[in-house]
Structure formats: C-alpha cells, structure tokens
Coordinates of all heavy atoms in Angstrom, one line a residue:
M1 N 0.8 -1.2 0.0 CA 0.0 0.0 0.0 C 0.9 1.2 0.0 O 1.8 1.3 0.8 CB -0.9 0.0 1.3 CG -1.9 1.1 1.3 SD -3.0 1.0 2.7 CE -2.1 1.8 3.9
E2 N 0.6 2.2 -0.9 CA 1.3 3.4 -0.9 C 0.9 4.3 0.2 O -0.1 4.2 0.9 CB 1.1 4.1 -2.3 CG -0.3 4.5 -2.5 CD -0.5 5.0 -4.0 OE1 -0.1 4.3 -4.9 OE2 -1.1 6.0 -4.1
K3 N 1.8 5.3 0.6 CA 1.5 6.2 1.7 C 0.3 7.0 1.4 O 0.0 7.4 0.3 CB 2.7 7.2 1.8 CG 3.9 6.6 2.4 CD 3.6 6.3 3.9 CE 4.7 6.9 4.8 NZ 4.4 6.5 6.1
L4 N -0.5 7.2 2.5 CA -1.7 8.0 2.4 C -1.4 9.5 2.3 O -0.5 10.0 2.8 CB -2.6 7.7 3.6 CG -3.1 6.3 3.8 CD1 -3.7 6.2 5.2 CD2 -4.0 5.9 2.8
K5 N -2.3 10.2 1.5 CA -2.2 11.6 1.4 C -2.9 12.2 2.6 O -3.6 11.6 3.3 CB -3.0 12.1 0.1 CG -2.4 11.5 -1.2 CD -3.3 12.0 -2.3 CE -3.0 11.2 -3.6 NZ -4.0 11.5 -4.6
G6 N -2.6 13.5 2.9 CA -3.1 14.2 4.0 C -4.7 14.2 4.0 O -5.3 14.1 5.0
S7 N -5.2 14.4 2.8 CA -6.7 14.4 2.7 C -7.3 13.0 3.0 O -8.4 13.0 3.5 CB -7.1 14.9 1.3 OG -6.6 14.0 0.3
Q8 N -6.6 12.0 2.6 CA -7.1 10.6 2.9 C -7.0 10.4 4.4 O -7.9 9.7 5.0 CB -6.3 9.6 2.1 CG -6.5 9.7 0.6 CD -5.5 8.8 -0.1 OE1 -4.4 8.6 0.2 NE2 -6.0 8.2 -1.2
R9 N -5.9 10.8 5.0 CA -5.8 10.6 6.5 C -7.0 11.4 7.2 O -7.5 10.8 8.1 CB -4.5 11.2 7.0 CG -3.3 10.4 6.6 CD -2.0 11.2 7.0 NE -0.8 10.5 6.7 CZ -0.3 9.6 7.6 NH1 -0.9 9.4 8.7 NH2 0.8 9.0 7.3
K10 N -7.2 12.6 6.8 CA -8.3 13.4 7.4 C -9.7 12.7 7.2 O -10.5 12.6 8.1 CB -8.4 14.8 6.7 CG -9.4 15.7 7.3 CD -9.3 17.1 6.7 CE -10.4 18.0 7.3 NZ -10.4 19.3 6.7
W11 N -9.9 12.1 6.0 CA -11.2 11.4 5.7 C -11.3 10.2 6.6 O -12.3 9.9 7.2 CB -11.2 11.0 4.3 CG -12.5 10.3 3.9 CD1 -13.7 11.0 3.6 CD2 -12.7 8.9 3.7 NE1 -14.6 10.0 3.2 CE2 -14.0 8.8 3.3 CE3 -11.9 7.8 3.9 CZ2 -14.6 7.5 3.1 CZ3 -12.4 6.6 3.7 CH2 -13.8 6.4 3.3
L12 N -10.2 9.4 6.8 CA -10.2 8.2 7.6 C -10.4 8.6 9.1 O -11.1 7.9 9.8 CB -8.9 7.5 7.5 CG -8.7 6.7 6.2 CD1 -7.3 6.2 5.9 CD2 -9.7 5.5 6.2
R13 N -9.8 9.7 9.6 CA -10.1 10.1 11.0 C -11.5 10.4 11.2 O -12.1 10.1 12.2 CB -9.2 11.4 11.3 CG -7.8 11.1 11.6 CD -7.0 12.3 12.2 NE -7.1 13.5 11.4 CZ -6.2 13.8 10.5 NH1 -5.2 13.0 10.2 NH2 -6.3 14.9 9.8
G14 N -12.2 11.0 10.2 CA -13.6 11.3 10.2 C -14.4 10.0 10.3 O -15.4 9.9 11.0
M15 N -14.0 9.0 9.5 CA -14.7 7.7 9.5 C -14.5 7.0 10.8 O -15.4 6.2 11.3 CB -14.2 6.8 8.3 CG -14.4 7.4 6.9 SD -16.2 7.7 6.6 CE -16.8 6.0 6.5
A16 N -13.4 7.2 11.5 CA -13.1 6.5 12.7 C -13.7 7.2 13.9 O -13.7 6.6 15.0 CB -11.5 6.5 12.9
H17 N -14.3 8.3 13.7 CA -14.9 9.1 14.9 C -15.8 8.3 15.7 O -15.8 8.3 16.9 CB -15.5 10.4 14.4 CG -16.1 11.2 15.5 ND1 -15.3 12.0 16.3 CD2 -17.4 11.4 15.9 CE1 -16.1 12.6 17.2 NE2 -17.4 12.2 16.9
A18 N -16.7 7.5 15.1 CA -17.8 6.8 15.8 C -17.3 5.4 16.3 O -18.0 4.7 17.0 CB -19.0 6.6 14.9
L19 N -16.0 5.0 15.9 CA -15.5 3.7 16.3 C -15.1 3.7 17.8 O -14.7 4.7 18.3 CB -14.3 3.3 15.5 CG -14.6 3.2 14.0 CD1 -13.3 2.8 13.3 CD2 -15.6 2.1 13.7
K20 N -15.2 2.6 18.4 CA -14.7 2.3 19.8 C -13.4 1.6 19.7 O -13.1 0.9 18.7 CB -15.7 1.4 20.6 CG -17.1 2.0 20.7 CD -17.1 3.1 21.7 CE -18.6 3.5 21.9 NZ -18.7 4.9 22.2
P21 N -12.5 1.8 20.6 CA -11.2 1.1 20.6 C -11.4 -0.4 20.7 O -12.2 -0.9 21.5 CB -10.5 1.6 21.9 CG -11.1 2.9 22.2 CD -12.5 2.8 21.7
V22 N -10.7 -1.1 19.8 CA -10.9 -2.6 19.8 C -9.7 -3.3 20.5 O -9.8 -4.5 20.8 CB -11.0 -3.1 18.3 CG1 -12.3 -2.7 17.7 CG2 -9.8 -2.7 17.5
V23 N -8.6 -2.5 20.7 CA -7.4 -3.1 21.4 C -7.0 -2.1 22.4 O -7.0 -0.9 22.1 CB -6.3 -3.4 20.4 CG1 -5.1 -3.9 21.1 CG2 -6.7 -4.4 19.3
Q24 N -6.6 -2.6 23.6 CA -6.1 -1.7 24.7 C -4.7 -2.2 25.0 O -4.5 -3.4 25.2 CB -7.0 -1.7 25.9 CG -8.3 -1.1 25.7 CD -9.2 -1.1 26.9 OE1 -8.9 -1.8 27.8 NE2 -10.1 -0.2 26.9
I25 N -3.8 -1.2 25.1 CA -2.4 -1.5 25.5 C -2.2 -1.1 26.9 O -2.4 0.0 27.3 CB -1.4 -0.8 24.6 CG1 -1.6 -1.2 23.1 CG2 0.0 -1.0 25.1 CD1 -0.8 -0.4 22.2
G26 N -2.0 -2.1 27.8 CA -1.9 -1.9 29.2 C -0.5 -1.5 29.6 O 0.4 -1.1 28.9
K27 N -0.2 -1.7 30.9 CA 1.1 -1.3 31.5 C 2.2 -2.1 31.1 O 3.4 -1.8 31.2 CB 1.0 -1.2 33.0 CG 0.6 -2.5 33.7 CD 0.5 -2.3 35.2 CE -0.1 -3.6 35.8 NZ -0.3 -3.4 37.2
Q28 N 1.9 -3.4 30.5 CA 3.0 -4.2 30.0 C 3.5 -3.7 28.7 O 4.5 -4.2 28.2 CB 2.6 -5.6 29.9 CG 2.3 -6.3 31.3 CD 1.9 -7.7 31.2 OE1 1.7 -8.2 30.1 NE2 1.9 -8.4 32.3
G29 N 2.8 -2.8 28.1 CA 3.3 -2.2 26.8 C 2.9 -3.1 25.6 O 2.0 -3.9 25.6
L30 N 3.7 -2.9 24.6 CA 3.5 -3.6 23.3 C 4.1 -5.0 23.3 O 5.3 -5.1 23.2 CB 4.1 -2.7 22.2 CG 3.6 -3.0 20.8 CD1 2.1 -2.8 20.7 CD2 4.3 -2.1 19.8
T31 N 3.2 -6.0 23.5 CA 3.7 -7.4 23.5 C 3.3 -8.0 22.2 O 2.6 -7.5 21.4 CB 3.0 -8.1 24.7 OG1 1.6 -8.1 24.5 CG2 3.3 -7.4 26.1
E32 N 3.8 -9.3 22.1 CA 3.5 -10.0 20.9 C 2.0 -10.3 20.8 O 1.4 -10.3 19.7 CB 4.2 -11.4 20.9 CG 5.7 -11.2 20.6 CD 6.0 -10.6 19.2 OE1 5.3 -11.0 18.2 OE2 6.9 -9.8 19.1
G33 N 1.3 -10.5 21.9 CA -0.1 -10.7 21.9 C -0.9 -9.5 21.5 O -1.9 -9.6 20.7
V34 N -0.5 -8.3 21.9 CA -1.1 -7.1 21.4 C -0.9 -6.9 19.9 O -1.9 -6.5 19.2 CB -0.5 -5.8 22.2 CG1 -1.0 -4.5 21.6 CG2 -0.9 -5.9 23.7
I35 N 0.3 -7.1 19.4 CA 0.6 -7.0 18.0 C -0.3 -7.9 17.2 O -0.9 -7.6 16.2 CB 2.1 -7.2 17.7 CG1 2.9 -6.0 18.3 CG2 2.3 -7.3 16.2 CD1 4.4 -6.2 18.2
S36 N -0.5 -9.2 17.7 CA -1.3 -10.2 17.1 C -2.8 -9.7 17.1 O -3.5 -9.8 16.0 CB -1.2 -11.5 17.8 OG -2.1 -12.4 17.3
Q37 N -3.3 -9.1 18.2 CA -4.6 -8.6 18.2 C -4.8 -7.5 17.2 O -5.9 -7.4 16.5 CB -5.0 -8.1 19.6 CG -5.3 -9.2 20.6 CD -5.7 -8.6 22.0 OE1 -5.2 -7.6 22.4 NE2 -6.5 -9.3 22.7
V38 N -3.9 -6.6 17.2 CA -4.0 -5.5 16.2 C -4.0 -6.0 14.8 O -4.8 -5.5 14.0 CB -2.8 -4.5 16.5 CG1 -2.7 -3.4 15.4 CG2 -3.0 -3.8 17.8
D39 N -3.1 -6.9 14.5 CA -3.1 -7.5 13.1 C -4.4 -8.1 12.7 O -4.9 -7.9 11.6 CB -1.9 -8.5 13.0 CG -1.5 -8.8 11.6 OD1 -1.4 -7.9 10.8 OD2 -1.4 -10.0 11.3
T40 N -5.0 -8.9 13.6 CA -6.2 -9.5 13.4 C -7.4 -8.5 13.2 O -8.2 -8.6 12.3 CB -6.6 -10.5 14.5 OG1 -5.6 -11.5 14.7 CG2 -7.9 -11.2 14.3
A41 N -7.4 -7.5 14.1 CA -8.4 -6.5 14.0 C -8.3 -5.7 12.7 O -9.3 -5.4 12.0 CB -8.3 -5.5 15.2
L42 N -7.1 -5.4 12.2 CA -6.9 -4.7 11.0 C -7.4 -5.6 9.8 O -7.9 -5.1 8.8 CB -5.4 -4.3 10.8 CG -4.9 -3.2 11.6 CD1 -3.4 -3.1 11.6 CD2 -5.5 -1.9 11.1
A43 N -7.1 -6.9 9.9 CA -7.6 -7.8 8.8 C -9.1 -7.8 8.7 O -9.7 -7.9 7.6 CB -7.0 -9.2 9.0
D44 N -9.7 -7.7 9.9 CA -11.2 -7.8 9.9 C -11.9 -6.4 9.6 O -12.9 -6.4 9.0 CB -11.7 -8.2 11.3 CG -11.3 -9.7 11.6 OD1 -11.0 -10.4 10.7 OD2 -11.4 -10.0 12.8
H45 N -11.3 -5.3 10.1 CA -12.0 -4.0 10.0 C -11.3 -3.0 9.2 O -11.9 -2.0 8.9 CB -12.1 -3.5 11.5 CG -12.8 -4.4 12.4 ND1 -14.2 -4.6 12.3 CD2 -12.3 -5.1 13.4 CE1 -14.5 -5.5 13.3 NE2 -13.4 -5.8 14.0
E46 N -10.0 -3.1 8.9 CA -9.2 -2.2 8.1 C -8.9 -0.9 8.9 O -7.8 -0.4 8.9 CB -9.8 -1.8 6.8 CG -9.8 -2.9 5.7 CD -10.3 -2.4 4.4 OE1 -11.1 -1.4 4.3 OE2 -10.0 -3.0 3.4
L47 N -9.9 -0.3 9.5 CA -9.7 0.9 10.3 C -10.1 0.7 11.7 O -11.2 0.3 12.0 CB -10.6 2.0 9.7 CG -10.5 3.4 10.4 CD1 -9.2 4.0 10.1 CD2 -11.6 4.3 9.8
I48 N -9.1 0.9 12.6 CA -9.3 0.6 14.1 C -8.8 1.7 15.0 O -7.9 2.5 14.5 CB -8.7 -0.8 14.5 CG1 -7.2 -0.8 14.4 CG2 -9.3 -1.9 13.7 CD1 -6.5 -1.9 15.1
K49 N -9.3 1.6 16.2 CA -8.7 2.5 17.2 C -8.0 1.6 18.3 O -8.6 0.5 18.6 CB -9.8 3.3 17.9 CG -10.4 4.5 17.1 CD -11.4 5.2 18.0 CE -11.9 6.5 17.2 NZ -12.9 7.2 18.1
V50 N -6.9 2.1 18.8 CA -6.1 1.4 19.8 C -5.9 2.3 20.9 O -5.5 3.5 20.7 CB -4.8 0.9 19.3 CG1 -3.9 0.3 20.4 CG2 -4.9 0.0 18.1
Q51 N -6.3 1.9 22.1 CA -6.1 2.8 23.3 C -4.8 2.4 24.0 O -4.6 1.2 24.3 CB -7.3 2.6 24.3 CG -7.3 3.5 25.5 CD -8.5 3.4 26.3 OE1 -9.3 2.5 26.2 NE2 -8.7 4.4 27.2
A52 N -4.0 3.4 24.3 CA -2.7 3.2 24.9 C -2.6 4.3 26.0 O -2.4 5.5 25.6 CB -1.6 3.3 23.9
V53 N -2.6 4.0 27.2 CA -2.4 5.0 28.3 C -0.9 5.1 28.5 O -0.2 4.2 29.1 CB -3.1 4.5 29.6 CG1 -2.9 5.6 30.7 CG2 -4.6 4.3 29.3
A54 N -0.3 6.1 27.9 CA 1.1 6.4 28.0 C 1.4 7.9 27.7 O 0.5 8.6 27.3 CB 1.9 5.5 27.1
S55 N 2.6 8.3 27.8 CA 3.0 9.7 27.5 C 2.9 9.8 25.9 O 2.9 8.9 25.2 CB 4.4 10.0 28.0 OG 5.4 9.3 27.2
K56 N 2.9 11.1 25.5 CA 2.8 11.3 24.0 C 4.0 10.7 23.3 O 3.8 10.1 22.2 CB 2.8 12.8 23.8 CG 2.6 13.2 22.3 CD 2.4 14.7 22.1 CE 2.1 15.0 20.7 NZ 1.9 16.4 20.5
E57 N 5.2 10.8 23.8 CA 6.4 10.3 23.2 C 6.3 8.7 23.1 O 6.6 8.1 22.1 CB 7.7 10.7 23.9 CG 8.0 12.1 23.8 CD 7.2 13.0 24.8 OE1 6.7 12.4 25.8 OE2 7.0 14.2 24.5
E58 N 5.8 8.1 24.2 CA 5.6 6.7 24.2 C 4.6 6.2 23.2 O 4.7 5.2 22.5 CB 5.3 6.2 25.6 CG 6.4 6.3 26.6 CD 6.0 6.0 28.0 OE1 4.8 6.0 28.3 OE2 6.8 5.6 28.8
K59 N 3.5 7.0 23.1 CA 2.4 6.6 22.1 C 2.9 6.8 20.7 O 2.6 5.9 19.8 CB 1.2 7.5 22.3 CG 0.3 7.1 23.5 CD -1.0 7.8 23.5 CE -0.8 9.3 23.9 NZ -1.0 9.6 25.2
Q60 N 3.7 7.8 20.4 CA 4.3 7.9 19.1 C 5.2 6.7 18.7 O 5.2 6.2 17.6 CB 5.0 9.2 18.9 CG 4.1 10.4 18.9 CD 4.9 11.8 19.0 OE1 6.0 11.8 19.4 NE2 4.2 12.8 18.5
E61 N 6.0 6.3 19.7 CA 6.8 5.1 19.5 C 6.0 3.9 19.3 O 6.4 3.0 18.5 CB 7.8 5.0 20.7 CG 8.7 3.8 20.6 CD 9.7 3.8 19.5 OE1 10.0 4.9 18.9 OE2 10.1 2.8 19.0
V62 N 5.0 3.7 20.1 CA 4.1 2.5 19.9 C 3.5 2.5 18.5 O 3.4 1.5 17.9 CB 3.0 2.5 21.0 CG1 1.9 1.6 20.7 CG2 3.6 2.2 22.4
G63 N 3.0 3.7 18.1 CA 2.5 3.8 16.7 C 3.5 3.4 15.7 O 3.1 2.7 14.7
R64 N 4.7 3.9 15.8 CA 5.8 3.5 14.9 C 6.0 2.0 14.9 O 6.1 1.4 13.8 CB 7.1 4.3 15.2 CG 8.1 4.2 14.1 CD 9.5 4.7 14.6 NE 10.0 3.9 15.7 CZ 10.5 2.7 15.7 NH1 10.5 2.0 14.6 NH2 10.9 2.1 16.8
Q65 N 6.1 1.4 16.1 CA 6.3 0.0 16.2 C 5.1 -0.8 15.6 O 5.4 -1.8 14.9 CB 6.5 -0.4 17.6 CG 7.8 0.1 18.2 CD 8.0 -0.2 19.7 OE1 7.0 -0.7 20.3 NE2 9.2 0.0 20.2
L66 N 3.9 -0.3 15.8 CA 2.7 -1.0 15.2 C 2.7 -0.9 13.7 O 2.4 -1.9 13.0 CB 1.4 -0.5 15.8 CG 1.1 -0.9 17.2 CD1 -0.1 -0.2 17.7 CD2 0.8 -2.4 17.2
E67 N 3.1 0.3 13.2 CA 3.2 0.4 11.7 C 4.2 -0.6 11.1 O 3.9 -1.2 10.1 CB 3.7 1.8 11.4 CG 2.6 2.9 11.5 CD 3.2 4.3 11.1 OE1 4.4 4.6 11.3 OE2 2.4 5.1 10.6
E68 N 5.4 -0.7 11.8 CA 6.4 -1.6 11.3 C 6.0 -3.1 11.4 O 6.2 -3.9 10.5 CB 7.7 -1.4 12.2 CG 8.9 -2.0 11.6 CD 10.1 -1.6 12.4 OE1 10.5 -0.4 12.4 OE2 10.6 -2.5 13.2
A69 N 5.3 -3.4 12.5 CA 5.0 -4.8 12.8 C 3.8 -5.3 11.9 O 3.7 -6.5 11.6 CB 4.7 -5.1 14.2
T70 N 2.8 -4.4 11.6 CA 1.6 -4.8 11.0 C 1.5 -4.4 9.6 O 0.6 -4.8 8.9 CB 0.4 -4.3 11.8 OG1 0.4 -2.9 11.8 CG2 0.4 -4.9 13.2
G71 N 2.3 -3.4 9.1 CA 2.1 -2.9 7.8 C 1.0 -1.8 7.7 O 0.6 -1.4 6.6
A72 N 0.5 -1.4 8.8 CA -0.6 -0.4 8.9 C 0.0 1.0 8.9 O 1.2 1.1 8.9 CB -1.4 -0.6 10.1
E73 N -0.8 2.0 8.8 CA -0.4 3.3 8.9 C -1.2 4.1 10.0 O -2.4 3.9 10.1 CB -0.6 4.0 7.6 CG 0.2 5.3 7.4 CD 0.2 5.8 6.0 OE1 0.1 5.0 5.0 OE2 0.3 7.0 5.8
V74 N -0.5 4.8 10.8 CA -1.2 5.6 11.9 C -1.8 6.8 11.1 O -1.0 7.6 10.6 CB -0.2 6.1 13.0 CG1 -0.9 7.0 14.0 CG2 0.3 4.8 13.7
V75 N -3.1 7.0 11.2 CA -3.7 8.1 10.6 C -4.1 9.2 11.6 O -4.5 10.3 11.2 CB -4.9 7.7 9.7 CG1 -4.5 6.8 8.6 CG2 -6.0 7.1 10.5
G76 N -4.0 8.9 12.8 CA -4.3 9.9 13.9 C -3.9 9.5 15.2 O -3.8 8.3 15.5
L77 N -3.6 10.5 16.1 CA -3.2 10.2 17.5 C -3.9 11.3 18.3 O -3.6 12.5 18.2 CB -1.7 10.3 17.6 CG -1.2 10.3 19.0 CD1 -1.5 8.9 19.7 CD2 0.3 10.5 19.0
I78 N -5.0 10.9 19.0 CA -5.8 11.9 19.7 C -5.9 11.4 21.1 O -6.5 10.3 21.4 CB -7.2 12.0 19.1 CG1 -7.1 12.4 17.6 CG2 -8.1 13.0 19.8 CD1 -8.4 12.2 16.8
G79 N -5.4 12.1 22.1 CA -5.4 11.7 23.5 C -4.7 10.4 23.7 O -3.5 10.3 23.3
H80 N -5.4 9.4 24.2 CA -4.8 8.1 24.4 C -5.2 7.1 23.3 O -5.0 5.9 23.4 CB -5.3 7.5 25.7 CG -4.9 8.3 26.9 ND1 -3.5 8.3 27.3 CD2 -5.5 9.1 27.8 CE1 -3.4 9.1 28.4 NE2 -4.6 9.6 28.7
I81 N -5.7 7.7 22.2 CA -6.2 6.8 21.1 C -5.3 6.9 19.8 O -5.1 8.0 19.4 CB -7.6 7.2 20.7 CG1 -8.6 7.1 21.9 CG2 -8.2 6.3 19.6 CD1 -8.8 5.7 22.5
L82 N -4.9 5.8 19.3 CA -4.2 5.7 18.0 C -5.2 5.2 17.0 O -5.9 4.3 17.3 CB -3.0 4.7 18.1 CG -1.8 5.1 18.9 CD1 -1.1 3.8 19.3 CD2 -0.9 5.9 18.1
I83 N -5.2 5.8 15.8 CA -6.1 5.4 14.8 C -5.2 4.7 13.7 O -4.3 5.4 13.2 CB -7.0 6.5 14.2 CG1 -7.8 7.2 15.3 CG2 -7.9 6.0 13.1 CD1 -8.4 8.5 14.8
L84 N -5.5 3.5 13.4 CA -4.6 2.7 12.5 C -5.5 2.3 11.3 O -6.6 1.9 11.4 CB -4.1 1.5 13.1 CG -3.1 1.7 14.3 CD1 -2.8 0.3 14.9 CD2 -1.8 2.3 13.8
F85 N -4.8 2.3 10.1 CA -5.5 1.9 8.9 C -4.6 1.0 8.0 O -3.4 1.3 7.9 CB -5.9 3.1 8.0 CG -6.6 2.7 6.7 CD1 -7.8 2.2 6.6 CD2 -5.9 2.8 5.5 CE1 -8.4 1.8 5.4 CE2 -6.4 2.5 4.3 CZ -7.7 2.0 4.3
R86 N -5.1 -0.1 7.6 CA -4.4 -1.0 6.6 C -5.5 -1.6 5.7 O -6.3 -2.3 6.1 CB -3.7 -2.2 7.3 CG -3.0 -3.1 6.3 CD -2.2 -4.2 7.0 NE -3.2 -5.1 7.5 CZ -2.9 -6.1 8.5 NH1 -1.7 -6.1 9.0 NH2 -3.8 -6.9 8.9
Q87 N -5.4 -1.2 4.4 CA -6.4 -1.6 3.4 C -6.2 -3.1 3.1 O -5.0 -3.5 2.9 CB -6.3 -0.7 2.2 CG -7.5 -0.9 1.3 CD -7.5 0.3 0.3 OE1 -6.5 0.7 -0.2 NE2 -8.7 0.7 0.0
N88 N -7.3 -3.8 3.0 CA -7.2 -5.2 2.6 C -6.7 -5.3 1.2 O -7.0 -4.6 0.3 CB -8.6 -5.8 2.7 CG -8.6 -7.3 2.8 OD1 -7.9 -8.0 2.1 ND2 -9.4 -7.8 3.7
A89 N -5.8 -6.3 1.0 CA -5.2 -6.5 -0.4 C -6.2 -7.0 -1.4 O -6.1 -6.7 -2.6 CB -4.1 -7.5 -0.3
D90 N -7.3 -7.7 -0.9 CA -8.3 -8.2 -1.8 C -9.4 -7.1 -2.1 O -10.1 -6.7 -1.1 CB -9.0 -9.4 -1.2 CG -10.0 -10.1 -2.1 OD1 -10.3 -9.5 -3.2 OD2 -10.6 -11.1 -1.7
P91 N -9.5 -6.6 -3.3 CA -10.4 -5.5 -3.6 C -11.9 -5.8 -3.2 O -12.6 -4.9 -2.8 CB -10.3 -5.3 -5.1 CG -9.0 -5.9 -5.5 CD -8.7 -7.0 -4.5
E92 N -12.3 -7.1 -3.2 CA -13.6 -7.4 -2.9 C -13.9 -7.4 -1.4 O -15.0 -7.3 -0.9 CB -14.0 -8.8 -3.4 CG -14.0 -8.9 -4.9 CD -14.4 -10.3 -5.4 OE1 -14.8 -11.2 -4.6 OE2 -14.4 -10.5 -6.6
K93 N -12.8 -7.4 -0.6 CA -13.0 -7.4 0.9 C -12.7 -6.0 1.5 O -12.8 -5.8 2.7 CB -12.1 -8.4 1.5 CG -12.4 -9.9 1.2 CD -11.5 -10.8 1.9 CE -11.9 -12.3 1.6 NZ -11.0 -13.2 2.2
Q94 N -12.4 -5.0 0.6 CA -12.1 -3.7 1.1 C -13.4 -3.0 1.6 O -14.4 -3.0 0.9 CB -11.4 -2.9 0.0 CG -10.0 -3.3 -0.3 CD -9.4 -2.5 -1.4 OE1 -10.0 -1.6 -2.0 NE2 -8.2 -2.8 -1.7
L95 N -13.3 -2.5 2.8 CA -14.4 -1.8 3.4 C -14.5 -0.4 3.2 O -15.5 0.3 3.2 CB -14.4 -2.1 5.0 CG -14.4 -3.5 5.4 CD1 -14.3 -3.6 6.9 CD2 -15.7 -4.2 5.0
Y96 N -13.3 0.2 2.9 CA -13.3 1.7 2.6 C -12.7 2.0 1.3 O -11.6 1.5 0.9 CB -12.4 2.4 3.7 CG -12.9 2.2 5.1 CD1 -12.5 1.2 5.9 CD2 -13.9 3.1 5.6 CE1 -13.0 1.0 7.2 CE2 -14.4 3.0 6.9 CZ -14.0 1.9 7.7 OH -14.5 1.8 8.9
E97 N -13.4 2.8 0.5 CA -12.8 3.3 -0.7 C -12.3 4.7 -0.5 O -13.0 5.6 -0.3 CB -13.9 3.3 -1.8 CG -13.4 3.6 -3.2 CD -14.5 3.5 -4.2 OE1 -15.4 2.7 -4.1 OE2 -14.4 4.3 -5.2
L98 N -11.0 4.8 -0.5 CA -10.3 6.0 -0.2 C -10.5 7.1 -1.3 O -10.5 6.8 -2.5 CB -8.8 5.8 -0.1 CG -8.4 4.9 1.1 CD1 -6.9 4.7 1.0 CD2 -8.7 5.5 2.4
P99 N -10.8 8.3 -0.9 CA -10.9 9.4 -1.8 C -9.6 9.7 -2.5 O -8.5 9.5 -1.9 CB -11.4 10.6 -1.0 CG -11.0 10.3 0.4 CD -10.9 8.8 0.5
E100 N -9.6 10.2 -3.7 CA -8.3 10.6 -4.3 C -7.9 11.9 -3.8 O -7.2 12.6 -3.6 CB -8.5 10.7 -5.8 CG -8.8 9.3 -6.5 CD -7.7 8.3 -6.3 OE1 -6.5 8.7 -6.4 OE2 -8.0 7.2 -6.0

C-alpha cells in the first residue's frame, strides 16, 4: 500500500470518529499478543482504534512499532487513542474506498 495523502488521512479520521477502541495496550506495553490482536483487527476491520495509556512520546513510539509490525499506517493520534488503517489486499474485501 502506498503512503496515504493528507486528505485521505483526514477522511479516515472522520470515518473513525464513531468507532470504539478494539485493542487496549496496558502497563506491560506492546507485547506479541497485542501486536497479534492489532493485526487480526486490521484484517477484519481495516480501520481501528487502539487505546494506549502512556505519554505522548511513548504513544508515538508505539504507533511507529505497530506500523512496522503490521504494515498499517497511523492516521491519527488523539489523546490516548491511536487510529490505524491497513487496506485489505483483496479488492472485494475492502471496506473503505479512499478518496483521491
């Protein structure tokens, strides 16, 4: 997947507004189990919210690690919530049609 444009990121943040966090990162931090849950959630939903109670710098690092581990892209970081997007490779299973 190619990098998202700013307008696409903004559109995805709008689409994620009504979503609830599907994964929570606790005090143990980013474990293999959490990465596995995020990967599964992205495969099922494409656009997800992840709740991480940590400092801003730690959340940015968690976002970078999740991008690297899952192939997703962080489209937003609001408070304790990370918004992640990874488009399904199969066009028939894609839930979101990104604007140009």
Side-chain angles (χ1 to χ4, degrees):
M1 185 175 86
E2 59 189 50
K3 283 293 230 185
L4 295 171
K5 299 177 192 170
S7 60
Q8 292 171 325
R9 289 172 175 274
K10 183 177 180 181
W11 184 80
L12 286 166
R13 283 193 302 271
M15 297 303 289
H17 181 74
L19 300 177
K20 302 283 186 214
V22 294
V23 178
Q24 294 183 338
I25 300 174
K27 60 184 173 184
Q28 293 183 351
L30 198 58
T31 64
E32 287 298 319
V34 170
I35 292 172
S36 174
Q37 283 183 327
V38 169
D39 195 47
T40 301
L42 285 166
D44 292 342
H45 304 288
E46 291 185 335
L47 182 66
I48 64 168
K49 285 184 176 179
V50 177
Q51 185 174 13
V53 181
S55 70
K56 185 174 182 177
E57 293 79 23
E58 290 172 340
K59 283 189 290 263
Q60 289 173 340
E61 179 62 22
V62 165
R64 189 192 61 72
Q65 290 174 351
L66 284 172
E67 283 181 330
E68 192 175 288
T70 63
E73 198 167 331
V74 174
V75 295
L77 174 62
I78 302 164
H80 294 292
I81 304 293
L82 289 155
I83 303 169
L84 296 170
F85 177 74
R86 181 178 71 196
Q87 195 163 38
N88 198 317
D90 184 356
E92 291 183 9
K93 294 182 180 178
Q94 291 178 357
L95 301 174
Y96 297 96
E97 187 174 328
L98 295 173
E100 294 299 319

